[in-house]
């Protein structure tokens, strides 16, 4: 069964501090991993996906198949990064339905 | 590009009535659309996968006769909540997958309140 675990419901850091949002997954095949962000009163939007290996808004995430993790990192957090972050998984080449983690609310304090 | 709209954004209805929610991809074609439900301060739960021109695929535990999904064109999918009850009150979100690509684009959501 596909499962995504985000162990931290809430995460609070100070501006300028590094931030890491954890995501672990369970899937028997080759998954596609995504990070979505939802700012206050806005729709869910894609932040990054592992196959593109991009850095968006200073965030990066590396897929670690050995640890089945896809942690989201940013070296210097900004106040505007405060939002809900969801890790999601889909099967490659399948129906591509997304399975979401429960989300982590990140608060960046001034 | 890749904008998804939902209508209405908020609806209040009486128990026992039916409500239709529309999901449109405004500037791209979407062979597949997805319907999610989100409870307050919780994650999104996939309800069903909607494929243009064919029957929707429902997730386990989702009543297909209660949540009717129609995907009649490459830019429109509708979710009809039939005989709504207060426990159906929730935030319903759709997403659309651009034909040929894996990325999903999300609508702004529809808040349904059943009184």
């Amino acid at each position: 069964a596909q499962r995504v675990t985000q162990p931290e419901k809430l995460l609070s850091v100070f501006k300028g501090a590094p931030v890491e949002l954890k995501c672990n997954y369970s899937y028997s095949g080759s998954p596609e991993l995504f990070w979505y962000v939802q700012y206050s009163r806005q729709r869910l939007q894609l932040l990054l996906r592992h196959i593109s290996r991009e850095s968006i808004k200073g965030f990066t995430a590396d897929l670690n198949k050995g640890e089945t993790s896809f942690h989201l990192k940013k070296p210097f957090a900004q106040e505007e990064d405060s939002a809900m972050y969801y890790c999601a998984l889909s099967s490659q080449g399948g129906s591509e339905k997304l399975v979401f983690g429960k989300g982590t609310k990140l608060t960046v304090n001034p | 590009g890749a904008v998804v709209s939902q209508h209405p954004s908020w609806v209040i209805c009486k128990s026992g009535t039916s409500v239709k929610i529309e999901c449109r991809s405004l500037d791209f074609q979407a062979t597949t659309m997805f319907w999610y439900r989100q409870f307050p301060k919780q994650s999104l739960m996939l309800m069903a996968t909607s494929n243009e021109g064919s029957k929707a695929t429902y997730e386990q535990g989702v009543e297909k006769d209660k949540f009717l999904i129609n995907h009649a064109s490459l830019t429109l999918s509708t979710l009809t909540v039939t005989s709504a009850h207060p426990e159906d009150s929730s935030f319903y979100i759709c997403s659309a997958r651009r034909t040929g690509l894996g990325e999903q684009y999300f609508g702004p959501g529809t808040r349904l309140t059943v009184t």
Side-chain angles (χ1 to χ4, degrees), chain B residues 40-99:
Chain B
K41 298 187 179 181
Q42 293 191 31
S43 188
L44 285 77
M45 287 189 60
L46 180 66
M47 297 175 65
T49 302
S50 169
N51 293 297
E52 186 267 336
S54 63
K55 290 184 178 180
T57 303
Y58 291 81
E59 294 299 299
Q60 193 172 11
V62 178
E63 298 177 59
K64 62 180 180 181
D65 294 330
K66 180 167 186 63
F67 298 99
L68 301 179
I69 291 172
N70 183 276
H71 193 158
S73 77
L74 287 172
T75 60
L76 173 65
S77 176
T78 61
L79 168 69
T80 301
V81 183
T82 63
S83 187
H85 290 284
E87 57 264 31
D88 297 326
S89 298
S90 191
F91 199 54
Y92 292 88
I93 301 172
C94 75
S95 71
R97 188 176 71 88
R98 194 196 296 261
T99 301

Side-chain angles (χ1 to χ4, degrees), chain A residues 36 43 46 86 96-97 101, chain B residues 4 38 43 59 103-104 106:
Chain A
Y36 282 85
R43 71 184 68 195
L46 179 67
Y86 295 96
E96 285 120 3
K97 65 180 183 181
Chain B
V4 176
Q38 186 178 33
S43 188
E59 294 299 299
E103 185 174 336
Q104 291 183 31
F106 284 81

Side-chain angles (χ1 to χ4, degrees), chain A residues 28-73:
Chain A
S28 57
S30 293
E32 273 200 69
L33 273 297
F34 304 83
W35 275 99
Y36 282 85
V37 60
Q38 189 172 30
Y39 300 103
S40 179
R41 298 184 185 278
Q42 293 189 28
R43 71 184 68 195
L44 207 65
Q45 54 185 289
L46 179 67
L47 183 61
L48 51 81
R49 57 195 301 187
H50 89 270
I51 61 172
S52 62
R53 302 186 67 80
E54 291 177 301
S55 172
I56 305 295
K57 298 185 179 182
F59 284 97
T60 59
D62 290 316
L63 179 61
N64 186 321
K65 292 186 178 180
E67 296 182 359
T68 60
S69 69
F70 189 56
H71 303 326
L72 183 69
K73 300 177 184 178

Side-chain angles (χ1 to χ4, degrees), chain A residues 8-19:
Chain A
E8 303 138 330
K9 200 171 182 178
L10 302 170
L11 184 61
S12 184
V13 300
F14 285 103
K15 176 182 173 182
V19 63

Side-chain angles (χ1 to χ4, degrees), chain A residues 20-36:
Chain A
E20 180 179 65
L21 290 87
K22 291 184 168 49
C23 172
N24 288 90
Y25 67 90
S26 173
Y27 182 61
S28 57
S30 293
E32 273 200 69
L33 273 297
F34 304 83
W35 275 99
Y36 282 85

